[in-house]
Amino acid sequence: MVDVLLGLQWGDEGKGKIVDYFAKDYDLVARFQGGPNAGHTLYIGDKKVVLHQIPSGVFHANKLNLIGNGVVLDPVTLKKECETVASFGVDLKKNLFISERTHLILPTHRALDKASEVSKGNQKIGSTLKGIGPTYMDKTGRNGLRVGDLLDKNFTTSYIKLRLKHQRLLDNHAFDEDISAWEEEFFEAVEFLKELNIVNGEYFINHHISQGKRVLAEGAQGSMLDIDFGTFPFVTSSNTISAGVCSGLGVAPQKIKDVIGVTKAYCTRVGSGPFPTELEDETGEQLRKIGSEFGATTGRPRRCGWIDLVALRFACMVNGVTKIVMTKADVLDAFQELSVCTSYNLNGKETTEIPFRMDKGTIEAVYKKFAGWDKPSSEARRQLNYRKQ
Ligand code: IMO
Ligand code: MG
C-alpha cells in the first residue's frame, strides 16, 4: 500500500516537515520526481536541515528511503547531503537506496540550465539552476546517463560523448564559464555514489509493498509547477502530481491509497510566472516577513499572496486528494482581515476553472473577505470534530 504526500500550490508548502511528522507510520519513504531543485526543511532537535534529494524520512531509525527512477540526481549535492545526514549519526548504508534507472545531472546540465535562462532574458523561468530541465530533456531525448551506468566500465566514454554534445549547445549560447572545477567535484562524488545502495527500484518497492509494508511517496515542488498541468512554461520539468508516482517509482495505480495534499494557508511562488493572488504591497511584504518566505534552495525572496481556492480545487482534482494538511495558518494571526480567492475574472467573465492562460492582465482574482481571528493560534488547544481513524 502506498500513500502519496505532495504539494498543492507552487512548492514550499511544508512537505518536508509533514513527511517527517508522518514517517513514523511508514516503513519506506520514496521520492518519485524532481531533484535538487527541492528544498525540504526539517528541524532535528533545534538544528535545521534542508534536504534536496534524500527523502524526508531519513532521520527515523529503521525506516527505508528510496530515491526513485523519476528523480534526477546530482551526485555532488547528494554527497554533501549524505555528509550532513551522517553527521547526525544516520547510517545511510542501511537506510538509503537509489534506483539504477535514476537519471544523472551532469555539470554540463547545470551549465545548460544557466545558459538557457540567460538566453530567455525577461521571459526566464526563474529556474533554480540545478540542471533539472536539461537533464529531463536528455531523458526524454533518450541521451541521458543513469545511476546504473556508473557501474559500467565504459561510463567515462559515455560521459565524454554526452559532454561533447552539450559543449556544442553551450557554444551556441556563447557560454564560456570554466566548469572544470564542477567536473572534478562530479567525478569525486560519483565514486562516493557508487558505494551507496544502488538497487532495481521497481522490484525493491514492489517487494516491500507485497510484504505488507507501508510506503509514503514524497512529492517535490507543487501541482501548479507540474509540467502538464502547471502554469506552463513557468513550471518544472516533471510530473509533480500523483500520477508521477506510478511512472516515477514503478508502482501500479491500484496500489495508491491516500493522496495527502499539503497547502499553505496563503500562497507563495519563487521564480517567474502567473500568480493571480500575488500581493505586491505591504500585505505581501508582511506575509513574507512573518512567514520567513525565502527560498530554502536559492535564498530568493518568495512572492506572497492570499490563498487561491480556484488553484487549490484544481490541484485536488488532478491529484485525487483524499486528505489535506494546511500549514502556516499561524502566519495569518497578525491580520485583521483575510482575503480568499474564490473565482477568477477572465477577460470580464467569472470562472472557477483554471484557464489555459493565466497571464497578468487577462486574469484577476475575485476575493471573499473574512475577519481575522486576532489570537495567537499557537495557543489553540481544542480539536474540533476530530475523528481518529
Ligand atoms: P520544493 O520541493 C518552489 C520552481 C523554480 C522555478 C521553476 C522551475 O522545495 O517545494 P527548476 O529548477 O525546477 O527548473 O525551476 O520551479 N521550483 C520550486 N519552487 N519549491 C520547489 O521545490 C521548487 N522547485 C522548483 O523556482 O520557478
Ligand atoms: Mg522548498
Side-chain angles (χ1 to χ4, degrees), residues 186-237:
F186 175 80
F187 278 102
E188 218 180 280
V190 155
E191 290 311 310
F192 176 85
L193 171 51
K194 277 157 73 173
E195 296 302 313
L196 297 175
N197 300 306
I198 298 173
V199 295
N200 180 319
E202 54 280 18
Y203 279 105
F204 179 86
I205 199 163
N206 279 294
H207 168 74
H208 282 90
I209 295 169
S210 67
Q211 300 277 306
K213 303 282 192 225
R214 291 176 55 114
V215 176
L216 182 63
E218 172 183 4
Q221 291 81 55
S223 306
M224 298 309 286
L225 288 171
D226 181 272
I227 183 74
D228 283 283
F229 299 105
T231 50
F232 189 88
F234 301 99
V235 292
T236 191
S237 298

Side-chain angles (χ1 to χ4, degrees), residues 10-12 124-126 225 231 234 264 266-280 284-285 287-288 293-295 300-306 358 360:
W10 283 275
D12 303 324
K124 71 170 196 233
I125 312 284
L225 288 171
T231 50
F234 301 99
K264 268 194 258 217
Y266 51 97
C267 277
T268 63
R269 168 161 210 172
V270 256
S272 337
F275 183 1
T277 62
E278 181 170 17
L279 293 162
E280 292 172 283
E285 192 55 49
L287 281 171
R288 180 158 41 249
E293 296 297 352
F294 295 88
R300 293 177 291 180
R302 295 178 183 143
R303 299 156 65 192
C304 296
W306 296 119
M358 294 174 72
K360 230 179 184 169

